[in-house]
Amino acid sequence: MGEASPIQIAEVIANFQFNGRLTRGCAYGSGHINDTYLLNFEISGMGSIKVILQKMNNSVFENPVELMENVVGVTSHLRQKIIEKGGDPERETLNVIPTLDGKPYYRDSCGEYWRSYKFITDTTSYDLVEKPEHFYQSAVAFGNFQRMLADYPAETLHETIVGFHDTKARFAVFKKSVEEDILGRAASAAKEIQFVLDREDVANCFSDLQAKGELPLRVTHNDTKLNNIMIDNKTGKAICVVDLDTVMPGLAMNDFGDSIRFGASTAAEDERDLSKVSCNMELYDLYSKGFIEGCAGRLTEKEIELLPMGAKVMTFECGMRFLTDYLQGDKYFKIHREGHNLDRCRTQFKLVEDMEQKWDTMQEIVRKYGKQEK
Ligand code: ADP
Ligand code: GN1
Ligand code: MG
């Protein structure tokens, strides 16, 4: 099973509050950060139960204990809200399964950190939009998520990755990695490097506005990929937001933007044929509608006006992060082939170019839904 040895996994499993006989275990999902496994247990006379087991990426997340404190705090808060509105807290939020000694994580004898969640049954997470309605539903769910956390005590949240969406700081790291060029890869990405250097204003945009005090900090998800949302197989509704590792104070526009970058693209994030990659305006329209509705009147006029910029900044930032990782030797994002991060960065920059061409339309669309909100 993945990189962890069977002995290591057996030790981990023995230390969680699991019941029954383990009948199956396999690698699961297509996340770029954690190692995710799906485990099946057979409980005599009661059938089978699935759980998610994750080895947390401790080079990306330096303090897994604090991270789990965030997850427990946020999921308890969401649970309460879901119960109040008569929802199902077993399926509409993540539920942490504790260890035998009651902790939300297990530190194994190799020093690695693990956690477990109840499996959210009868749902699917998508890497590409298969039905536009799913994308609309995901927008409502991410908007709702922000709304449900509006009264969460933000000051108690740990910053799990410092400067996670500080695009300006990431630009500086990028420039340094080009200058150092430790693997001699810069020559193979000369065009992409120039693309970034030509857009320093995009990297600075939100930092500058924040410095002027023009943007409210909210409790946001910060990693709003379509595959971080579970869609109910029967109803097609987005019922649960997962991957809560980066829930931190952040900008509403970035949650909007990261979803557009991934879900409104007409191709996979790592598509090599760039002629297939563009930002689909119908999907962008649907997401704008759903997200503004989901936030239910909480977004300021300025935030709504800046939603298109959120899409551009997040796509640019993500491309720059893939490119930086390529230059630094693929240390951050999991890769499955040579040049994978370079391929990923190219799709992001193709999307940025496409957004630049469709800029007026993108602005008109959010204006339309912003007006309806008033
Ligand atoms: P990563 O940080 O590596 O992206 P995620 O926490 O997003 O890891 O998990 C990877 C995938 O596993 C998700 O995209 C989702 O498909 C699936 N997943 C995660 N948690 C659950 C859960 N509780 N129930 C069902 N599927 C889940
Ligand atoms: C990572 O964990 P995952 O696969 O949902 C990354 C995001 C990137 C995304 C690009 C903690 O998301 O920031 O936008 O890959 N998560 C982290 O696909 O860095
Ligand atoms: Mg994920």
Side-chain angles (χ1 to χ4, degrees):
M1 277 197 349
E3 286 169 26
S5 71
I7 295 175
Q8 190 181 5
I9 294 188
E11 176 201 328
V12 172
I13 291 174
N15 277 282
F16 276 92
Q17 290 185 23
F18 296 149
N19 287 313
R21 186 175 60 90
L22 180 68
T23 51
R24 196 163 174 256
C26 58
Y28 194 68
S30 50
H32 294 338
I33 303 294
N34 298 301
D35 289 352
T36 305
Y37 303 98
L38 174 63
L39 306 181
N40 256 74
F41 289 90
E42 202 65 45
I43 302 181
S44 66
M46 290 175 61
S48 75
I49 286 206
K50 290 177 181 165
V51 305
I52 289 284
L53 180 67
Q54 280 183 328
K55 176 151 77 77
M56 293 153 71
N57 185 326
N58 64 354
S59 57
V60 167
F61 301 109
E62 285 168 6
N63 197 329
V65 177
E66 286 188 357
L67 187 156
M68 288 312 290
E69 244 177 77
N70 282 2
V71 171
V72 169
V74 165
T75 52
S76 311
H77 184 91
L78 293 172
R79 191 178 177 83
Q80 201 51 44
K81 299 250 151 159
I82 292 162
I83 292 171
E84 278 163 22
K85 72 162 182 41
D88 178 356
E90 295 294 298
R91 295 182 79 233
E92 294 173 32
T93 178
L94 283 175
N95 284 277
V96 173
I97 302 176
T99 57
L100 293 179
D101 55 1
K103 292 205 180 83
Y105 59 85
Y106 176 69
R107 183 173 185 269
D108 70 19
S109 45
C110 307
E112 310 231 58
Y113 285 82
W114 297 74
R115 66 172 166 219
S116 178
Y117 293 122
K118 289 184 188 169
F119 184 77
I120 303 158
T121 50
D122 304 313
T123 59
T124 305
S125 73
Y126 293 90
D127 287 324
L128 271 175
V129 172
E130 286 179 12
K131 290 190 184 151
E133 174 66 12
H134 290 166
F135 195 46
Y136 167 74
Q137 290 296 336
S138 79
V140 176
F142 276 127
N144 266 323
F145 182 83
Q146 220 169 82
R147 186 173 52 74
M148 288 199 281
L149 291 175
D151 58 347
Y152 191 81
E155 67 288 353
T156 63
L157 282 172
H158 304 285
E159 201 175 358
T160 55
I161 298 178
V162 176
F164 188 54
H165 285 318
D166 184 342
T167 317
K168 188 174 185 165
R170 287 194 180 273
F171 187 88
V173 172
F174 162 77
K175 265 177 70 175
K176 192 158 172 270
S177 72
V178 175
E179 278 150 29
E180 291 176 351
D181 193 20
I182 53 167
L183 293 171
R185 288 181 171 181
S188 59
K191 208 172 122 213
E192 290 73 22
I193 291 170
Q194 195 54 49
F195 186 92
V196 178
L197 296 175
D198 288 344
R199 286 168 181 75
E200 190 167 0
D201 58 325
V202 180
N204 292 347
C205 171
F206 286 156
S207 311
D208 292 353
L209 288 169
Q210 264 181 296
K212 286 193 216 151
E214 290 186 27
L215 305 176
L217 263 190
R218 303 181 181 280
V219 175
T220 50
H221 183 279
N222 295 305
D223 188 0
T224 52
K225 275 161 85 160
L226 182 64
N227 67 15
N228 286 331
I229 253 200
M230 308 310 298
I231 310 266
D232 189 296
N233 293 338
K234 285 197 198 86
T235 64
K237 297 253 185 292
I239 60 156
C240 184
V241 173
V242 301
D243 206 344
L244 304 179
D245 297 338
T246 52
V247 174
M248 286 182 279
L251 302 177
M253 294 81 73
N254 287 342
D255 270 8
F256 172 85
D258 203 28
S259 288
I260 298 299
R261 154 194 103 65
F262 190 83
S265 172
T266 49
E269 188 178 63
D270 58 356
E271 174 59 56
R272 282 193 176 120
D273 178 355
L274 293 180
S275 69
K276 291 187 179 155
V277 183
S278 65
C279 184
N280 179 315
M281 285 298 108
E282 271 113 63
L283 291 177
Y284 173 89
D285 186 304
L286 272 178
Y287 197 92
S288 303
K289 179 174 189 295
F291 188 76
I292 293 173
E293 281 171 11
C295 289
R298 279 185 163 73
L299 297 176
T300 64
E301 256 177 57
K302 184 88 187 161
E303 285 178 304
I304 294 179
E305 179 197 321
L306 286 169
L307 290 177
M309 198 58 190
K312 187 164 156 182
V313 169
M314 279 300 97
T315 312
F316 174 76
E317 181 192 275
C318 193
M320 182 169 71
R321 290 172 65 197
F322 287 142
L323 183 51
T324 305
D325 200 29
Y326 172 71
L327 296 172
Q328 293 180 344
D330 308 306
K331 299 270 188 274
Y332 188 95
F333 297 103
K334 282 184 197 168
I335 56 161
H336 307 292
R337 59 178 189 244
E338 216 176 295
H340 207 165
N341 275 318
L342 184 58
D343 292 339
R344 288 171 176 150
C345 122
R346 287 181 170 145
T347 61
Q348 302 308 293
F349 294 161
K350 175 73 196 295
L351 282 172
V352 171
E353 270 176 349
D354 195 44
M355 289 177 193
E356 286 169 351
Q357 276 168 22
K358 295 172 176 166
W359 198 242
D360 291 345
T361 312
M362 288 171 71
Q363 285 186 313
E364 270 163 37
I365 290 170
V366 297
R367 245 178 250 137
K368 173 177 76 181
Y369 293 117
K371 268 193 210 131
Q372 287 175 13
E373 203 46 39
K374 278 189 209 150

